[in-house]
Every structure is written in C-alpha cells, then in structure tokens.
Amino acid sequence: MPLIWTPEYNDANYPSISIVSVESIVGIPLSSGNSLSGKFPDSLSLAQDNSIPPTDFYFAGAMPVISRRLRDFLTQLECKFESFELETSQLVGDESFYFVNLLESLDCFDRQSSMFVERGGFATSISKLRLANIDHKIEPPVYRISKTIPALTAVSDVSSTSIIEQGFTGFSLVKPENWRNPALIT
C-alpha cells in the first residue's frame, strides 16, 4: 500500500516563506499536473519572514517547493516531474529551491470507502481517505491521486522506504487511513 506525502506544519519548525510577486503566477495552473514549460515565470523570487532554515519540502503559498537535494533524489527514483529554479537570495542559508510539478497521476481513490465532498467530479474536503488496490507494476514512484485535491500525493511502497532513509525534512509519509486533510484541521 502506498503512503501519503504529508507536509509538516509545525509552526516552531516551519519556515515562513512567500512568493514576492504573486501576480506573476496568476492564471498559471500550478496544481494541474500538466507541463508548465514555457508558462512558469523566469526567476520567481521567494522571501522569508522568519529565521527558520527552509526544509527540503514546504509550501510558498499554494506552491510546493523542494530543495535541490530532494529534487536530485526524485530524479534518481525516475519520478516524472518538472522543476523550476526559484530565486532564493532572501532565504536563510544558501540551498537552491525549486517549484515542483508532478506529472504523473493514478486513479486510485476509493470513492466507496472514503468520505468526501464532490465538486466538479473531484473529491474535496476529504475527511476519510481510502485507496483502491494498485497494480504495483504500473505504480509510479511518486504521483498525484487523480480526481482529488491537488496536493494529495502518494509514494509507492518501494520508494517510500528509500525516501524515509534519506531523512528529508518538511514532510512525513503516512498510511492513507492516518492522513488528515490540512484544510479540515482547525
């Protein structure tokens, strides 16, 4: 069974990072899973409001951001994604960071066993997550779960072990039944 990629939102350890010119990405479908080649702005800048070093994964607004180290590891896993380097001179440290756009998705959301609200054919407000059986021969290493909220990302069994061993920061991998929708947590 795949695990779910879950951002860690602990305020004591979470960097406060935002996009400097949000207007430069308005209208760009950042969470579509479609290629953004030629659409993503050159040298999009990030700014930081605290002194907490950025983690390997975090969100700048609704934009998922990964470190060079995590990007290189996803490349080794042969994940299908594209990344766009961000201008990070205003961040703590000297690590390079990238917007990450996962390009693979799998229709494995169990609509019968999950609890959710459906809007436009997509599962939103998911309060109970269950996944259907997945053919491990076709399962990508890291992928979006089709027809659900854009940030719902799964990691295959094989890849999850490798990712955990690397000790990446800013996210954890949890069983689908233990996943909690951050939009519903108050």
Side-chain angles (χ1 to χ4, degrees):
M1 177 63 69
L3 297 178
I4 304 301
W5 182 301
T6 304
E8 293 178 348
Y9 291 114
N10 180 340
D11 287 341
N13 301 327
Y14 203 78
S16 178
I17 298 174
S18 58
I19 301 165
V20 172
S21 299
V22 174
E23 64 276 359
S24 66
I25 60 170
V26 170
I28 298 173
L30 297 177
S31 59
S32 70
N34 297 320
S35 177
L36 298 177
S37 182
K39 298 175 188 167
F40 196 82
D42 293 331
S43 62
L44 183 65
S45 297
L46 299 180
Q48 187 164 359
D49 296 332
N50 62 16
S51 60
I52 297 171
T55 53
D56 290 304
F57 176 83
Y58 57 88
F59 280 98
M63 185 175 71
V65 178
I66 59 174
S67 66
R68 176 186 302 270
R69 185 171 85 99
L70 182 52
R71 183 196 68 165
D72 291 348
F73 192 75
L74 292 176
T75 300
Q76 287 175 13
L77 290 176
E78 299 181 1
C79 294
K80 291 187 179 156
F81 70 99
E82 57 188 6
S83 61
F84 299 90
E85 189 165 12
L86 301 166
E87 198 290 302
T88 58
S89 63
Q90 297 180 53
L91 302 187
V92 172
D94 59 358
E95 174 73 73
S96 295
F97 289 93
Y98 303 81
F99 161 68
V100 62
N101 182 26
L102 291 175
L103 299 173
E104 285 191 289
S105 63
L106 198 60
D107 190 5
C108 60
F109 182 70
D110 184 339
R111 291 178 171 276
Q112 300 301 315
S113 301
S114 298
M115 293 175 59
F116 62 97
V117 173
E118 185 165 341
R119 289 191 181 111
F122 287 84
T124 65
S125 301
I126 302 167
S127 58
K128 178 180 169 187
L129 175 63
R130 296 293 184 265
L131 299 181
N133 288 331
I134 299 168
D135 181 348
H136 297 290
K137 295 176 198 154
I138 65 164
E139 185 179 26
V142 179
Y143 55 95
R144 296 170 187 263
I145 298 174
S146 299
K147 300 177 185 164
T148 65
I149 58 176
L152 193 50
T153 302
V155 178
S156 71
D157 283 336
V158 173
S159 299
S160 62
T161 302
S162 300
I163 289 173
I164 291 167
E165 288 172 354
Q166 294 298 311
F168 292 113
T169 58
F171 67 96
S172 57
L173 301 177
V174 299
K175 293 179 180 178
E177 61 269 17
N178 295 336
W179 177 79
R180 298 293 170 256
N181 187 343
L184 300 179
I185 297 172
T186 56

